[in-house]
Amino acid sequence: MVAGFAAVDIIREKRDGQTLTEDEIRWIIDAYTRRQVGEEQMSALLMAIFFQGMNMQEISWWTDAMIRSGERLDFSKLSRPTVDKHSTGGVGDKITLPLAPLVASFGVAVPQLSGRGLGHTGGTLDKLEAIPGWRAALENDEMMAMLEDPGCVICAATGSLAPADKFLYALRDVTATVDSIPMISASIMSKKIAEGTSSLVLDVKFGSGAFMKTQELAHELAQTMVQLGRAAGVKMSALITDMNRPLGRKIGNALEVEESLEVLAGGGPRDVVELTVELAREMLTLAGQPDADVEAALKDGRAMDTWRQMIARQGGDVDAPLPRALHTEDVVATEDGYLSDLDALAFGVASWRLGAGRARKEDPVQAGAGIEIHVDAGSAVKRGDKLFTLHTDTPERFDLAKQTLADGYKVLAAAPLDANRSVVADRIK
């Protein structure tokens, strides 16, 4: 630990717009992680950073200090090259599920240390826990063995990776300082770098259902994270993707596993397949296989075989039926026209209110809750056609979910011009 600093001096410097030094940043992250700097002082510093920002060098030092607060995994002894993917989260974003086994089927190790959902965005671990018997918590030796065979693992990150981020994230959440690109970048990249992968592809989303509401902000966040990764010796690339509409046709834990299986079987919705394939190409290019035929691996069953091995190794019953909600209710078209303006945030919040998500980290989720979308955006519908099906174990939730959904779509006289737009808006190499 670097000695000789006082938290109040560091707060004052950043409050006044000064650049913090590497030693100051290392000292305060270390002292806060060891609880020698109080919550009130770190809250004040976070607010100062929120308003004054940080330059790239400060963000890099902050990220490194958070990495140093815990252990760092080492994949160098694996026989396979490693490549990871991180998404900033959205509605219906189940891409990790088909993507990890797809990339692993090409002899690449894919370590996906994932989290749980909060609010309107779903969590990868919540989705997989809908599979009977599947377990998220693995020891490091179990994870390493799975990265050799079948080549991929999706599991919970241990608390020993960048523990400073755990404390800081909780504090940012209760001090209204989450929306800071320096802090978001450092939070994501400290954990990803500590996880030890040699290559990383980012899926940075923008739109109503995303954390970043505009494409410009998503681009700024992606650029910052790519620079942080490269400075740490990680091969990086990023896709900027559209989250104004839900991704795919199914939202909710077991429902999204179902849709992932459709993709692994060679089918699935156009946008989910598009993003899965584009991310797989990016990952395999960084891993030295730019010409890999990822579509073939979906069609010939290789990716599905790898999925079944991965799920079974983590205790999951790959042949067991997925949970179904006890109650369903349909939403139908009230007029003829074209389905339009599917708002990702409205669908995410409605799914959460049906029981698919949680308001607090300790809240349970319903495995079968969520929403099925029966009609693609831009498609013609007639009065009485079934548009969506709502799923929940607790039918008293239907009314509030339907109220939330009411402003989340329209039926228009003319087909929307952007109905078939690509989900990938930009990329950073």
Side-chain angles (χ1 to χ4, degrees):
M1 175 181 170
V2 179
F5 295 103
V8 68
D9 294 332
I10 296 173
I11 295 165
R12 183 184 300 111
E13 288 175 23
K14 184 46 67 178
R15 180 201 70 187
D16 295 343
Q18 297 179 38
T19 299
L20 301 182
T21 68
E22 181 178 7
D23 285 346
E24 286 173 325
I25 288 171
R26 284 194 181 179
W27 178 83
I28 201 159
I29 293 292
D30 179 74
Y32 176 64
T33 304
R34 294 192 293 114
R35 320 317 273 165
Q36 293 182 350
V37 166
E39 300 279 48
E40 69 283 355
Q41 288 185 306
M42 186 55 84
S43 296
L45 180 57
L46 290 175
M47 191 61 73
I49 292 169
F50 182 87
F51 284 112
Q52 296 289 0
M54 280 182 156
N55 65 32
M56 198 63 222
Q57 184 63 79
E58 286 177 291
I59 303 171
S60 182
W61 287 332
W62 190 280
T63 303
D64 185 64
M66 294 210 296
I67 294 168
R68 290 169 181 259
S69 72
E71 73 168 325
R72 187 168 179 172
L73 296 179
D74 182 6
F75 296 137
S76 62
K77 294 182 180 178
L78 291 174
S79 64
R80 300 170 176 238
T82 54
V83 61
D84 194 2
K85 184 270 301 183
H86 178 80
S87 166
T88 55
V91 178
D93 183 8
K94 72 279 295 174
I95 299 299
T96 293
L97 278 62
L99 180 65
L102 172 59
V103 174
S105 69
F106 288 89
V108 174
V110 185
Q112 286 279 190
L113 276 63
S114 302
R116 303 189 183 281
L118 192 62
H120 77 277
T121 58
T124 299
L125 301 183
D126 297 322
K127 303 180 206 301
L128 287 169
E129 283 179 339
I131 300 172
W134 186 89
R135 60 190 176 95
L138 299 180
E139 298 296 331
N140 282 355
D141 58 347
E142 291 181 283
M143 181 174 64
M144 292 294 186
M146 286 188 65
L147 290 174
E148 285 290 0
D149 182 30
C152 54
V153 63
I154 304 173
C155 62
T158 68
S160 60
L161 293 177
D165 180 64
K166 177 183 177 182
F167 299 130
L168 284 168
Y169 190 90
L171 192 58
R172 287 165 55 212
D173 192 38
V174 298
T175 57
T177 54
V178 171
D179 300 342
S180 161
I181 285 181
M183 291 294 97
I184 297 168
S185 303
S187 174
I188 293 171
M189 293 307 298
S190 64
K191 288 178 289 191
K192 285 298 173 184
I193 294 168
E195 285 170 15
T197 187
S198 58
S199 304
L200 174 64
V201 177
L202 300 169
D203 177 5
V204 182
K205 299 186 180 297
F206 68 91
S208 73
F211 199 69
M212 301 293 154
K213 299 304 179 187
T214 69
Q215 186 172 338
E216 291 73 23
L217 283 173
H219 195 276
E220 181 183 350
L221 176 60
Q223 285 277 23
T224 303
M225 291 194 290
V226 165
Q227 289 182 59
L228 288 173
R230 286 177 179 159
V234 180
K235 297 176 187 174
M236 299 288 301
S237 70
L239 299 185
I240 313 297
T241 65
D242 192 329
M243 186 39 72
N244 283 297
R245 289 201 296 254
L247 190 57
R249 284 184 160 208
K250 296 182 180 181
I251 306 162
N253 300 305
L255 292 169
E256 293 189 41
V257 175
E258 284 182 357
E259 192 160 81
S260 299
L261 290 170
E262 293 170 16
V263 174
L264 287 165
R270 178 192 60 81
D271 55 349
V272 177
V273 174
E274 176 197 352
L275 187 51
T276 301
V277 166
E278 289 296 329
L279 285 167
R281 285 175 177 154
E282 290 288 325
M283 293 170 74
L284 289 164
T285 296
L286 292 184
Q289 298 187 49
D291 300 321
D293 189 346
V294 293
E295 290 98 332
L298 289 174
K299 287 185 169 35
D300 65 20
R302 277 178 286 161
M304 179 68 87
D305 289 344
T306 305
W307 160 270
R308 291 176 63 86
Q309 293 173 54
M310 176 183 72
I311 296 301
R313 288 282 294 275
Q314 290 177 245
D317 185 343
V318 293
D319 296 314
L322 290 164
R324 306 295 299 183
L326 297 176
H327 304 274
T328 62
E329 190 164 321
D330 294 330
V331 176
V332 301
T334 57
E335 57 191 317
D336 295 353
Y338 296 86
L339 185 63
S340 181
D341 296 352
L342 272 66
D343 179 72
L345 180 59
F347 278 80
V349 173
S351 182
W352 163 56
R353 286 180 168 161
L354 289 165
R358 53 172 65 84
R360 300 173 303 164
K361 289 183 179 179
E362 58 270 23
D363 290 346
V365 297
Q366 295 181 20
I371 301 173
E372 279 186 275
I373 301 170
H374 298 293
V375 181
D376 290 330
S379 296
V381 297
K382 294 189 176 297
R383 180 187 174 93
D385 283 355
K386 184 164 62 174
L387 301 179
F388 322 115
T389 299
L390 313 185
H391 298 247
T392 186
D393 293 336
T394 43
E396 61 270 20
R397 295 174 179 262
F398 280 133
D399 286 346
L400 189 55
K402 285 190 292 185
Q403 289 173 28
T404 304
L405 208 55
D407 294 327
Y409 70 96
K410 294 178 182 176
V411 176
L412 302 178
L417 297 177
D418 63 347
N420 294 314
R421 67 175 180 264
S422 172
V423 71
V424 179
D426 196 4
R427 62 188 70 223
I428 297 171
K429 293 291 188 181

